[in-house]
Amino acid sequence: VTLANRAAAPPAPPRAAFVPKPAQITGPRVVREEKPEVVAAPRPRPRPGDGPTTGAAGLNTARPQAGRGVKRTDDEEEAEKKKAAARASLSTRRRGSDGRRGQADEKLREFTDADLIERKERIEQATKSREAITRHLKTSTNRGTHQQAKSAQEKGEAIEMEEPITVRTLSAAIGIKVNELLGKLMRQGVVSNINATLDLEVAQTMALEYGLELHLKRETTLEQEIAEEFASRESDPANLVTRPPVVTILGHVDHGKTSLLDKIRSANVAAGEAGGITQHIAAWMVILGEGEKAKRVTFIDTPGHQAFTSMRARGANMTDVVVLVVSAAEGVQPQTIESINHAKAAGVPIVVAMNKIDRPDANEQQVLGQLAANGLNPVEWGGDTEVVRTSALTGQGIPELIEILDLQSQIMELKADPTAPANGTVIESMMHSGLGSAATVLVQNGTLKVGDVMLCGNAYGRIRSLLNDKGAAIQEAGPSTPVIVAGLNELPSSGDKFFVLDHIDLARTVAEDRANRSRQTQLGQMNRVTGANLLSTLAAQAAVSTINLIIKADVQGSLETLVNTVTAQNTAEVKVRVIHSGVGAINESDVQLAMATKTKPADNRVAIIGFHVVADDAARLLAEQNHVDVKTYRVIYEIFDDLKKSLSGMLAPEVREKLHGHCEVRQVFKVSRLGNIAGCMVTDGHIQRGSKIRLIRDGKIITEGLTIETLKRVKDDVKEVKSGFECGIKLAGYDDVKVGDRYEAYIQEKFERTL
């Protein structure tokens, strides 16, 4: 619109003429009115325990429930309100104003029993599934991180092991590789293998290397349980009776022990012993007096030879009183001191019998002083040791000795229960021609009867017969009675404890268990590493000459003594090895074993030793045909003397050097076809043709062991050149000779060595 047009337009009308009218609101217009469609409620799922939901016609007769699109009547709404009010009132009455308990009960009513069972099963199944998932996750985690059980070294706890301890078992217990353990043993000077048995000290030392403590675990055996059961039995005081004392005769060899005992029991036993020396442990029951005043004393006589140390120890351990026999002429000897130590270790009182008091060279005061020096202070010197002067020839002092022994037994109040099952100690065992395996036992408690089941060490059996010390058959033996028992399946060891059991099966089980344990111990000792060789260095050892022995004896005690003492002469060059030992006569099996051993190159010396036994005819003939040495002995020290001579003959002779001259090389003559010849001056001693030459140059030994090939004086061959003379010496096979060298002439002498 331009200004010209605006100016030509008519003027605007007034504002009041354009006021609008107020608006008017009108409602919706009804086009069509329809009624709501009645839809039936869905039929509920049937549950266990519910009644039928269909009518006679099979149609659903349940009343349609109110829902979306369903119009409820006023009566239904009012009834619903009344039910809600009743429920609220019931909940309020049961628990508080909030009605929580009532709501919970109402909620539970909506579930049936089947719903609750189903819910419980689902929870259990979900729990198991979760546990399986958790285990799987843990396994996967361990596999991913390679976690293993901690070893004893990582835990730092003390370990317990049973014997025998081998390198393999120790490695597994500590948690260290076997090669590492073997290397540590080798660095300490011990060469062993994975199955080598280790001594307890060695095993503990190896464990300490890794900061661990090793303790030996000892299981209680059936034999120990039986011994503890017998020890824990308490006898009725009404059944206890006074028992005879057990007296052991100890002392040095040939001091008159057996002769004194012969005088007491009026028997001549010493005459039956070879050389008058007791070779076995013997036991007797001596009855002194008659009637009610009769006194019973059990005497045990032990050998006095140094080899029978174990026998003296056994005698002291089963005795009540020790009678120490000391010769008034010879005084206290080494075996006397050893007997004193055995008695003190056993904790038994000692009564000294100063024997041979009738000899003109008897010195009582010297013997008393020697006894006091060894801890036996005589009563007459203010001490507590009774010393009785005796004589086995005249019988002097024997009544006084018996009175002192009876007084000692009264002071000790020795009692036993004869009604209890018998137990005691095996004194000796032997193969008897008529009884078979027999054993001399000392009944210490209870009464031993014929027919009882006996267990003693590895042997067991039912007693067939009992013999007293005189050889007479008896039916029973009371406390402190020595008897010979027959009926055992094998020979028991001397010193074993015996027990009377109720059943033979129990005795068999215990004996087999002990035999198995003994075998394991022996196998473990075959390749044992001990503390003695733990720190020793490795060194090459030459072949050792060996004498192989087969030892047969008449009794088990003597056999054990021989086996344990024949190896006392072993050295680094010669040794004795016992390949077999047994009780009884020498038979063909022993000779055949010796023949098989003799064929081995390293074991070319073998001998059969019989102690108080002889070889049967077949064995003697076989030994003569195959040149097998069979030697029998009656006295034990003769065995040791012959064995010492045999070992001495196997020793390499001792070589000693003896210097006898020196000479100095003044000039060297070179001969093309002979070599260098030294012109020498003998400065001291003499030079002979058979001498060994040691070459010394500038004070140092260049070589030695040279021999003289030619020895000349001027132009003549001579056997010897003395001091101050010149000579020509040609050494055999050696030409490196210079002017100024010195020859040292010597000879080697051989001397026989002895052990």
Side-chain angles (χ1 to χ4, degrees), residues 437-438 456 458-460 488-492:
S437 299
C456 44
N458 297 341
Y460 68 93
L488 301 176
N489 66 327
E490 62 178 72
L491 292 178

Side-chain angles (χ1 to χ4, degrees), residues 298-359:
T298 299
F299 286 94
I300 299 177
D301 186 16
T302 61
H305 193 270
Q306 60 181 357
F308 294 98
T309 302
S310 58
M311 290 190 179
R312 287 192 295 274
R314 287 198 296 268
N317 289 334
M318 67 181 72
T319 187
D320 300 318
V321 182
V322 167
V323 174
L324 182 66
V325 178
V326 184
S327 174
E330 299 172 355
V332 176
Q333 297 295 323
Q335 271 66 59
T336 309
I337 300 175
E338 186 180 298
S339 301
I340 294 173
N341 295 333
H342 287 318
K344 289 182 177 180
V348 295
I350 300 176
V351 176
V352 178
M354 190 184 300
N355 199 23
K356 302 182 181 180
I357 196 66
D358 55 333
R359 287 181 52 170

Side-chain angles (χ1 to χ4, degrees), residues 552 585 721:
K552 301 298 287 292
V721 179

Side-chain angles (χ1 to χ4, degrees), residues 169-428:
T169 57
L170 181 61
S171 171
I174 298 178
I176 301 299
K177 293 183 179 180
V178 177
N179 294 337
E180 181 179 348
L181 195 60
L182 290 174
K184 189 173 289 294
L185 286 171
M186 185 175 295
R187 284 191 294 271
Q188 295 186 358
V190 179
V191 178
S192 59
N193 53 40
I194 191 173
N195 295 320
T197 305
L198 300 177
D199 190 67
L200 179 59
E201 296 180 358
V202 177
Q204 290 177 341
T205 304
M206 290 292 100
L208 289 176
E209 292 286 339
Y210 298 98
L212 298 175
E213 293 184 4
L214 175 63
H215 302 290
L216 188 61
K217 183 179 180 181
R218 301 183 184 274
E219 293 185 355
T220 303
T221 61
L222 294 176
E223 185 180 8
Q224 292 175 350
E225 293 179 358
I226 293 175
E228 292 175 358
E229 180 183 354
F230 271 81
S232 62
R233 290 178 179 175
E234 296 182 0
S235 301
D236 187 0
N239 297 331
L240 295 178
V241 297
T242 302
R243 65 173 178 84
V246 179
V247 179
T248 300
I249 308 295
L250 299 178
H252 191 75
V253 62
D254 202 24
H255 275 202
K257 301 184 297 299
T258 307
S259 300
L260 185 63
L261 186 58
D262 294 345
K263 195 67 177 180
I264 295 175
R265 64 191 297 261
S266 300
N268 190 11
V269 179
E273 295 285 352
I277 300 174
T278 301
Q279 309 290 334
H280 316 105
I281 288 182
W284 299 277
M285 172 72 77
V286 178
I287 302 176
L288 303 175
E290 297 179 355
E292 298 180 354
K293 296 183 179 180
K295 300 176 183 178
R296 297 176 180 269
V297 181
T298 299
F299 286 94
I300 299 177
D301 186 16
T302 61
H305 193 270
Q306 60 181 357
F308 294 98
T309 302
S310 58
M311 290 190 179
R312 287 192 295 274
R314 287 198 296 268
N317 289 334
M318 67 181 72
T319 187
D320 300 318
V321 182
V322 167
V323 174
L324 182 66
V325 178
V326 184
S327 174
E330 299 172 355
V332 176
Q333 297 295 323
Q335 271 66 59
T336 309
I337 300 175
E338 186 180 298
S339 301
I340 294 173
N341 295 333
H342 287 318
K344 289 182 177 180
V348 295
I350 300 176
V351 176
V352 178
M354 190 184 300
N355 199 23
K356 302 182 181 180
I357 196 66
D358 55 333
R359 287 181 52 170
D361 56 346
N363 191 343
E364 300 181 17
Q365 297 302 320
Q366 178 183 357
V367 175
L368 294 177
Q370 292 174 347
L371 292 173
N374 288 278
L376 300 180
N377 197 10
V379 174
E380 53 196 273
W381 284 15
D384 55 356
T385 302
E386 294 286 350
V387 180
V388 183
R389 278 76 171 172
T390 61
S391 174
L393 296 179
T394 62
Q396 176 185 350
I398 292 180
E400 291 81 358
L401 178 62
I402 298 301
E403 290 296 331
I404 291 177
L405 294 177
D406 183 64
L407 178 62
Q408 286 284 355
S409 63
Q410 293 178 7
I411 294 175
M412 298 173 67
E413 297 182 354
L414 304 174
K415 295 182 180 296
D417 184 8
T419 62
N423 66 288
T425 307
V426 178
I427 299 177
E428 195 61 88

Side-chain angles (χ1 to χ4, degrees), residues 34 63 163 176 187 223 294 327 333 374 380 447 578 627 660 663 665:
E34 296 180 356
R63 184 176 180 177
E163 287 189 329
I176 301 299
R187 284 191 294 271
E223 185 180 8
S327 174
Q333 297 295 323
N374 288 278
E380 53 196 273
T447 301
V578 179
H627 306 285
H660 60 80
C663 62
V665 178

Side-chain angles (χ1 to χ4, degrees), residues 668 671 674-677 697 730-738:
V668 178
V671 181
L674 296 178
N676 294 338
I677 299 176
R697 182 178 299 162
K730 171 66 176 70
L731 298 177
Y734 192 84
D735 289 335
D736 186 13
V737 182
K738 298 180 180 180

